Amino acid sequence: MSDERTARATLTAVAEPGDAFLNRMIDHCGPEESLEAIRTTRVPPGVPATPQEARRLDTWRIRLIAAEPDQDMAVCARFRGRLICPGEPEWPTTLDDLGLGRPYALWLRGPGDLRYSCLRSVAIVGSRAASPYGLRAAADFASELADRGWTVVSGGALGIDAAAHRGSLAADGPTVAVLANGVDVPYPASNEGLFAEMARRALLVSESPPGTHPHRLRFLVRNRVIAALSRGTVIVEAEARSGALNTASWAARLGRVVMAVPGPITSRSSVGCHRLLREEATTLVTRPEEIIEAVGRIGADLAPPPATPVLPRDRLEPVTRSVLEAFPARGTAGPAQLAVKAGVDLNTVNAKLGLLAAGGFIERTPSGWRLTKSGKSNSPPEPPPPARSDAGNAPSQEPP
């Protein structure tokens, strides 16, 4: 491993992810000189630093004593992982949009190519305490996006994140989990099976070396990477205080599309989504086609309008439908009464009554004609029973 890669691997172990001061040093003098500045606790000449930032060198120097980049790389190699650095072929250039908040390097596990996977990618995030509605929406969106060749990016958490990853895997599609811990640490433990499957078929990503356990702030920090890797972020469910809203904030800051799925107005899990839809430049989405339209190619990935249900009466020609609509909702009517209401002559009504009866829309009673149950509803009418011959019980032959 080159000195620069070793230095970047070390920096992932000693500093918190996305530290602006450390990135200023890396930009000014490179990762190796930045590591030397940590060893000597001296800010490199020409690098602006506040007194508070300069004091971080003392903290990083203490952590440097325990850093073992060669051992981290050896552990990573055992589970067929790898380290990628800025400028390498697999490094997604969209991460550079983070500026001084970009990662120093990334630890990867799984067969997927990160840069290629993120060329057409959508983040799906949301509440850990998700409702059945949210879980269904996240899984269905992810599955259908995968069918259309889109990568689903999420955070590997319980609830919406896990449902999104599973939905993509179910469709044999690519998915990326950005973790707040090492790629060999199954957190949460209940998702261990999911992570094992992703390591075999998809991609796990972390800014921290193998063996690193998560803490609260790193969950928020990793959200910027989820937003940067994706063309847009979909919030499926989010409470008033939610990490998913932090991801949405990062997406908006980076110029990515922010989308939200509406939910019941009585659901706490959708309060954050509804707030986004009211207060921010957020796109409301209810179908995968609408997500693709929002993040896809202009003019080429337009969502078709939702299909309008076609009722059986919609297939009737206009005069027959006007006779059917002349029927009262309750009770019976005679041909003369129907003719007046429909505005047609009596002979026409008598002809149309036979057609409507054959279609199962109406039936004859001793007092006149009335709508059948199927004729009143929006469901297709049941076909009438086959005619019986006068000679026996066998049904008559239908015309060819």
Side-chain angles (χ1 to χ4, degrees):
M1 187 167 62
S2 69
D3 291 341
E4 179 178 345
R5 285 173 58 80
T6 301
R8 286 187 177 274
T10 306
L11 292 174
T12 65
V14 301
E16 289 301 312
D19 187 274
F21 172 46
L22 179 52
N23 268 318
R24 284 201 299 272
M25 288 199 297
I26 293 173
D27 287 346
H28 182 75
C29 57
E32 297 166 79
E33 289 299 321
S34 299
L35 196 57
E36 184 61 26
I38 293 172
R39 289 194 179 98
T40 60
T41 65
R42 294 177 183 173
V43 178
V47 177
T50 65
Q52 182 181 7
E53 288 176 331
R55 286 195 293 272
R56 290 179 198 164
L57 294 174
D58 294 322
T59 302
W60 295 343
R61 183 182 62 82
I62 294 171
R63 293 178 182 171
L64 183 60
I65 298 171
E68 297 181 310
D70 292 335
Q71 182 175 336
D72 290 338
M73 291 299 298
V75 170
C76 191
R78 281 203 293 272
F79 54 71
R80 298 181 181 178
R82 58 199 180 277
L83 178 77
I84 64 170
C85 300
E88 295 182 348
E90 198 177 350
W91 183 266
T93 56
T94 54
L95 291 174
D96 297 335
D97 294 343
L98 291 168
L100 293 177
R102 63 186 175 276
Y104 323 124
L106 289 174
W107 300 86
L108 271 56
R109 182 181 184 184
D113 183 288
L114 183 60
R115 183 172 184 175
Y116 178 79
S117 296
C118 292
L119 292 177
R120 284 164 53 90
S121 59
V122 176
I124 299 179
V125 296
S127 174
R128 288 174 172 81
S131 70
Y133 162 80
L135 296 174
R136 172 71 180 272
D140 287 352
F141 283 174
S143 177
E144 295 193 39
L145 286 168
D147 281 339
R148 291 164 169 81
W150 287 81
T151 298
V152 173
V153 181
S154 197
L158 296 173
I160 298 299
D161 290 17
H165 291 309
R166 290 191 175 102
S168 184
L169 290 172
D172 201 24
T175 184
V176 176
V178 181
L179 307 176
N181 42 270
V183 292
D184 61 333
V185 176
Y187 184 89
S190 56
N191 281 350
E192 183 174 4
L194 172 63
F195 296 142
E197 186 66 11
M198 291 187 68
R200 188 177 71 85
R201 297 169 49 194
L203 202 55
L204 303 173
V205 177
S206 176
E207 295 182 77
S208 303
T212 302
H213 290 270
H215 57 75
R216 182 178 173 274
L217 289 179
R218 287 200 175 181
F219 286 104
L220 293 176
V221 172
R222 65 91 190 266
N223 290 340
R224 78 195 198 288
V225 177
I226 295 175
L229 289 176
S230 312
R231 289 194 184 184
T233 295
V234 180
I235 313 299
V236 176
E237 283 187 323
E239 295 191 14
R241 289 174 57 89
S242 170
L245 298 180
N246 177 260
T247 307
S249 175
W250 272 108
R253 201 180 313 176
L254 294 170
R256 308 296 199 263
V257 181
V258 179
M259 295 159 278
V261 178
I265 60 173
T266 54
S267 171
R268 288 180 53 189
S269 298
S270 292
V271 169
C273 293
H274 296 159
R275 193 181 80 194
L276 283 174
L277 291 169
R278 290 186 68 248
E279 300 177 0
E280 309 291 343
T282 304
T283 301
L284 186 151
V285 292
T286 60
R287 299 181 294 146
E289 293 87 352
E290 294 168 352
I291 297 173
I292 294 173
E293 178 181 86
V295 299
R297 296 166 296 169
I298 296 176
D301 290 316
L302 298 177
T308 303
V310 178
L311 303 179
R313 65 176 59 208
D314 296 333
R315 299 188 176 95
L316 299 174
E317 53 87 21
V319 176
T320 306
R321 189 164 62 246
S322 69
V323 173
L324 178 62
E325 291 172 354
F327 272 85
R330 292 186 176 86
T332 62
Q337 180 184 354
L338 295 170
V340 172
K341 194 168 182 181
V344 297
D345 61 82
L346 192 58
N347 290 334
T348 301
V349 168
N350 286 325
K352 300 305 182 185
L353 289 175
L355 292 174
L356 291 170
F361 293 96
I362 62 174
E363 62 185 1
R364 192 165 194 168
T365 70
S367 59
W369 294 90
R370 68 180 179 187
L371 292 172
T372 63
K373 186 175 181 181
S374 296
K376 294 178 183 179
S377 70
N378 291 334
S379 59
E382 297 179 1
R388 299 286 179 175
S389 65
D390 294 335
N393 294 329
S396 63
Q397 295 295 319
E398 295 183 355

